[in-house]
Amino acid sequence: MGRRNKNKLFEAVEVVDAGAKGKSIAKSPDGRVIFVNNAVPGDVIDVQTTKKRKSYFEGTAVNFHSYSDKRVEPVCQHFGTCGGCKWQFMDYKYQLDYKQQEVTNNLKRLGKIELPEITPILGSKEIYFYRNKMEFSFSDSRWLTLEEIQSGKDFEDKNALGFHIPGMWDKILDIKKCHLQEDPSNAIRNFVKIFATQNEIPFFNTRAQNGLLRTLMIRTSSTGEIMVLIQFFEENKTVRELLLNAVVEEFPEITSLQYVINNKGNDTIYDQEVICYKGRDHIFEEMEGLTFKINAKSFYQTNSAQAYELYKITREFAGLKGEELVYDLYTGTGTIAQFVAKNAKEVIGVEAVPEAISDAIENAKRNGITNTKFFAGDMKKVFTQNFINKHGHPDVIITDPPRDGMHKDVVAQIINILPKKIVYVSCNSATQARDLALLDEYYKVTKVQPVDMFPQTFHVENVVCLERK
């Protein structure tokens, strides 16, 4: 006997809130939460459940009785299939409201700490074409949309250059126009796809691990410079040069054209040799008179304009007078460290990625900054009492950890040395709340400022100032 389908259809359900990871929230008749992946708070929907758990359902809206006044018309033709901009159908002012709500809820419910009044979220001036880095994948068996399948047509062009379908590592949606990175990003991507298809250059097949073209990365900067990197699965000098020369001829404005030959199972380039084909092996970003060298492997905040606002808030919260020793944990390429250096006696930056530290040292030298020092290594192993004894007891710690937050040993070391002030920059307010709870016995949160770095998505940054009790 086959397994009975336990999925349910709930009719005329009102969507009441926005939840985590871009999903909206409705309630079933028995009171259980339904996480809906394609609705806006205020919609009244019929929802077909796709998963059932003890305390909640997951589902998809299959019919709309009425639409929310929070809705707007999505600008992108790929919205709903591409997972890049999950909130594009929600008015931006409501996106900001729900991001503010997420930060507040996480700090209060997860952190369970005393909070000051949380400052209203700082929205992004640009809500489209704000990213300075995009990565696209090639595929020889592109994802067909539901409309294409239902049309019954036979599609000869199976090639794709675009984004992974959410949750599917081997399915690529072909992108005609993306609204996240300003031109010539779309023009470059479309040219590469058309030229490669016309010249029968094979696109990659992830499952079979064959084909030539793997990924395309495009980086732009506020200085107007452009980096393009094409990743090939294997070396074919004739074909590689055919494509790269075509890109050079079509887009002479490209500052840096590079390539990678990567025949390993995954397409990450961080353990690969990056070869410069034309121009420089880097581009430059500029912020408040400081210049930052960006290479193919560099981490740099992907919304340059909003990163400037984030760093200004960080500097303001630090409240430096010129006599402080500052530790910048998870410093990356040292952007925050250099940004606050003119207001500090000395800044010590620590980062796990050696290449990032090399960039930080080079950038500081280029910018004429002499009061910074940078060290590479696993944070929990570098940030020790011996390190502090050698380099000095920090007055202020700035920390900007990855989404997982700070390692418990790092938090313990901060508690051990108790600097006067901590400025905690976070891209995940849930793990930030966890860390703040660990610090709560010794520190009081005095300022909270959410910052929207990624319009049309559910992601939100948050900056917190803690002062010793």
Side-chain angles (χ1 to χ4, degrees), residues 267-314:
D267 57 21
T268 58
I269 67 168
Y270 293 98
D271 57 351
Q272 300 293 297
E273 180 187 7
V274 178
I275 303 166
C276 185
Y277 186 75
K278 185 80 173 178
R280 302 195 303 258
D281 67 354
H282 59 276
I283 58 177
F284 287 110
E285 186 60 81
E286 189 275 333
M287 185 181 293
E288 206 175 77
L290 299 174
T291 301
F292 298 100
K293 174 184 172 183
I294 309 294
N295 64 44
K297 299 179 183 180
S298 294
F299 171 79
Y300 192 83
Q301 286 282 3
T302 51
N303 183 338
S304 299
Q306 201 68 343
Y308 180 41
E309 301 302 322
L310 183 75
Y311 297 160
K312 284 193 292 186
I313 292 164
T314 303

Side-chain angles (χ1 to χ4, degrees), residues 171-190:
K171 304 297 183 184
I172 305 297
L173 175 70
D174 190 50
I175 298 294
K176 300 292 191 293
K177 180 177 181 179
C178 178
H179 290 74
L180 287 177
Q181 189 177 34
E182 64 183 0
D183 279 335
S185 177
N186 283 303
I188 292 170
R189 186 194 61 255
N190 290 334

Side-chain angles (χ1 to χ4, degrees), residues 217 219-229 248 252-259 274-286 291-297 362-363 366:
M217 180 179 76
R219 299 187 88 143
T220 55
S221 75
S222 61
T223 61
E225 296 189 331
I226 304 164
M227 176 187 292
V228 174
L229 184 147
V248 169
E253 67 269 35
I254 290 174
T255 313
S256 171
L257 179 60
Q258 304 183 72
Y259 70 94
V274 178
I275 303 166
C276 185
Y277 186 75
K278 185 80 173 178
R280 302 195 303 258
D281 67 354
H282 59 276
I283 58 177
F284 287 110
E285 186 60 81
E286 189 275 333
T291 301
F292 298 100
K293 174 184 172 183
I294 309 294
N295 64 44
K297 299 179 183 180
E362 185 177 342
N363 285 330
R366 179 181 297 105

